[in-house]
Amino acid sequence: MIREGFSLGHSFIHRLDPRVKLVIAILFSIVVAVADRFTVLLSGLLFSLVLIAMARLKIREVFYRLLVVNGFILLLWIFLPFTFPGDTLFSIGRLTASREGVIYSLLITIKSNTIILSCIALIATSSITTLVHAMRHLYIPDKLAHLFFFCYRYIHVIYLEYTRLVNAMRIRCFEPKTNTHTYRTYAYLVAMLLLKSYDRSERVYNAMLCRGFKGKFWMLDHFSLKGSDLISGTVMLLYIVGLVFLQWGKTIL
Amino acid sequence: MHISEGVLSAPVLITGAALTAVAVGVGLKKMDYDRIPQVAILSSAFFVASLIHVPVGPSSIHLILNGIMGVLLGFAAFPAILVALTLQAFLFQFGGITTLGVNTFNIAFPAVVCFYAFGHAVKHKNSVIALCSAFGCGFVAVLLSSIMVATSLVFVEESFVQVARLVVIAHLPVMIIEGVLTVFCVGFLGKVRPEILGG
């Protein structure tokens, strides 16, 4: 179920140091999230699109990903133009859409998609294991890193367990409907899942103790910053600084 | 229950991130190394369970389960939910990096509230009290979450009020179903493995 499809590739972006990608993705997301000028956002969008193009991802899959994530944005488009105060742009029956409302919705749409595209290009192009590794190199708390490793590892295992339980339900002709029987069955499914996960966690921990676990994960492979990482990291950083100046230049200077 | 990237304003994002950082810090501090596998594996169970779609009339909803998470994990629900949401953001781009703080707080804070409010009552010998508090646990967790999502939207922009109201109303059936599910789920766990609720 969890296919990290985007992480399989050999483009320039895929080969960049994950630490650089992670830092740039975070900085870029923050800047775009708080920016409110169309010039800044469109330059940001250009940045994300260039990265997507460089990562040579399948456009159809990227597009599908965007479609799924834009559900909430669609909800805003239904309400915001009509509730935002401002000049009337057009009216449907008794509802009047304001120009400011439409502009605001457009702003949010561009912002949201710009950030998502940059995250697809920079983050989804690394595997989760490498990303967590990169996060450890960027000094996130040790316990949190452990949680990430374990959680990611066991999502797959628990998903398999889940499909097994669902298959068992199907074999017994379970058909989900809106009734108590369905909800009870799903509740037992969740409870079984939690129970099995709980038992598994105890077995795993005991197995770790047997193998001499003393509360520390050793990092075996270390990343090395290559010249190309440094150069592209600097270029991207300069672009982000440029965006900051474009947005707040007047107040800073 | 996720708020997408680009919707919230800087003050809301910063407040959410700060609150989450503090709460995750407390959660990590309270969690010993020997509990890490347990918290992590429950966190992945939470991730998987959120993929389950339950039918409601013609449409379906997906489970949130933050009430049960709270009862089972206590304060450790904060790091557990943070990890699950980060993985969702990395893998599916649901939520995102800048909204991670707000989204984590909106889901994990009600979980912790439920732990303190209902954690003991769900194990009560009187089955009526136990059942009612289990229902309350599932119901209140989702109710609080949706109110918090609505509040964070209204803080950004007052004209979000309609959307915010819709968020809460749309989650009403989810609250009821989560309540019912929690009753059955906690009842099952209490019968099969009471010590798991000791949490």
Side-chain angles (χ1 to χ4, degrees):
Chain A
M1 61 124 189
I2 299 158
R3 275 178 248 106
E4 298 173 67
F6 291 138
S7 70
L8 309 166
H10 301 283
S11 72
F12 177 70
I13 301 279
H14 284 92
R15 276 179 282 128
L16 268 184
D17 190 307
R19 287 173 296 180
V20 173
K21 291 201 279 187
L22 201 59
V23 171
I24 294 290
I26 292 172
L27 290 178
F28 181 76
S29 302
I30 293 173
V31 170
V32 173
V34 295
D36 59 358
R37 285 193 178 180
F38 272 103
T39 38
V40 180
L41 295 178
L42 290 176
S43 325
L45 187 60
L46 182 73
F47 179 78
S48 304
L49 288 174
V50 168
L51 287 180
I52 291 274
M54 282 173 74
R56 280 188 258 146
L57 300 169
K58 285 195 189 108
I59 300 300
R60 235 176 87 191
E61 276 172 34
V62 173
F63 190 72
Y64 181 71
R65 200 57 84 82
L66 281 183
L67 217 61
V68 174
V69 182
N70 268 307
F72 189 73
I73 302 295
L74 194 71
L75 187 73
L76 290 184
W77 270 100
I78 295 172
F79 279 91
L80 263 188
F82 301 104
T83 55
F84 208 87
D87 307 336
T88 310
L89 190 65
F90 64 91
S91 46
I92 311 166
R94 252 190 294 163
L95 292 168
T96 47
S98 68
R99 180 190 301 276
E100 281 80 355
V102 172
I103 291 177
Y104 192 63
S105 314
L106 195 64
L107 194 84
I108 289 179
T109 314
I110 298 176
K111 256 191 201 189
S112 189
N113 285 297
T114 303
I115 299 178
I116 294 164
L117 281 173
S118 72
C119 285
I120 293 177
L122 290 171
I123 291 184
T125 48
S126 298
S127 69
I128 294 289
T129 332
T130 0
L131 283 172
V132 177
H133 218 82
M135 289 199 281
R136 285 193 80 193
H137 280 280
L138 297 170
Y139 305 106
I140 67 160
D142 235 10
K143 283 183 186 170
L144 204 56
H146 289 198
L147 277 184
F148 269 112
F149 276 126
F150 274 114
C151 181
Y152 181 60
R153 166 74 185 84
Y154 283 99
I155 282 175
H156 297 269
V157 179
I158 288 170
Y159 188 72
L160 281 183
E161 211 128 63
Y162 165 70
T163 41
R164 221 157 47 122
L165 288 170
V166 168
N167 282 340
M169 277 156 63
R170 280 214 194 107
I171 290 167
R172 289 157 181 79
C173 298
F174 172 70
E175 253 184 74
K177 289 198 190 88
T178 310
N179 55 24
T180 331
H181 173 68
T182 305
Y183 298 144
R184 189 192 297 127
T185 314
Y186 273 119
Y188 289 170
L189 170 69
V190 170
M192 240 5 245
L193 211 56
L194 291 173
L195 209 65
K196 286 188 168 195
S197 316
Y198 192 83
D199 287 346
R200 183 183 292 274
S201 73
E202 272 178 5
R203 287 201 304 275
V204 169
Y205 187 65
N206 288 337
M208 281 163 54
L209 286 182
C210 287
R211 286 157 182 78
F213 178 70
K214 289 201 185 70
K216 183 143 182 66
F217 271 113
W218 299 98
M219 285 194 272
L220 290 181
D221 34 312
H222 292 269
F223 302 116
S224 59
L225 274 178
K226 293 187 295 294
S228 60
D229 293 325
L230 281 176
I231 293 169
S232 43
T234 320
V235 170
M236 289 193 280
L237 197 63
L238 284 177
Y239 195 91
I240 295 173
V241 173
L243 290 181
V244 172
F245 269 97
L246 208 57
Q247 168 73 30
W248 295 285
K250 280 198 188 119
T251 41
I252 299 174
L253 294 174
Chain B
M1 207 49 109
H2 295 92
I3 301 178
S4 311
E5 290 269 34
V7 179
L8 298 174
S9 63
V12 178
L13 292 175
I14 294 169
T15 316
L19 288 172
T20 299
V22 171
V24 168
V26 173
L28 287 177
K29 191 129 219 175
K30 283 193 171 188
M31 180 183 73
D32 292 324
Y33 271 95
D34 55 354
R35 261 191 90 198
I36 287 177
Q38 188 202 335
V39 174
I41 290 175
L42 284 176
S43 166
S44 34
F46 169 74
F47 183 104
V48 171
S50 72
L51 302 171
I52 303 178
H53 283 257
V54 178
V56 188
S59 80
S60 73
I61 56 160
H62 80 86
L63 299 174
I64 303 170
L65 296 178
N66 50 346
I68 299 177
M69 283 284 279
V71 169
L72 293 183
L73 290 173
F75 234 98
F78 259 100
I81 287 171
L82 174 75
V83 166
L85 290 184
T86 311
L87 288 178
Q88 282 187 354
F90 282 2
L91 288 166
F92 314 127
Q93 281 79 44
F94 282 157
I97 301 176
T98 60
T99 49
L100 200 55
V102 178
N103 282 335
T104 305
F105 197 78
N106 285 347
I107 297 178
F109 180 71
V112 175
V113 168
C114 282
F115 172 71
Y116 286 112
F118 303 109
H120 279 288
V122 293
K123 289 175 286 181
H124 204 279
K125 282 201 188 73
N126 184 334
S127 61
V128 178
I129 295 176
L131 285 182
C132 288
S133 47
F135 183 83
C137 173
F139 188 89
V140 169
V142 180
L143 176 70
L144 257 185
S145 282
S146 64
I147 289 175
M148 283 165 69
V149 168
T151 321
S152 14
L153 286 174
V154 173
F155 264 120
V156 176
E157 174 57 59
E158 275 170 26
S159 41
F160 274 146
V161 168
Q162 297 294 335
V163 182
R165 205 174 286 158
L166 187 77
V167 167
V168 178
I169 294 170
H171 278 91
L172 272 174
V174 186
M175 293 166 206
I176 296 169
I177 289 170
E178 289 258 344
V180 173
L181 268 161
T182 312
V183 169
F184 286 128
C185 192
V186 169
F188 183 89
L189 290 175
K191 257 183 257 166
V192 180
R193 195 76 57 82
E195 68 267 20
I196 200 173
L197 295 173

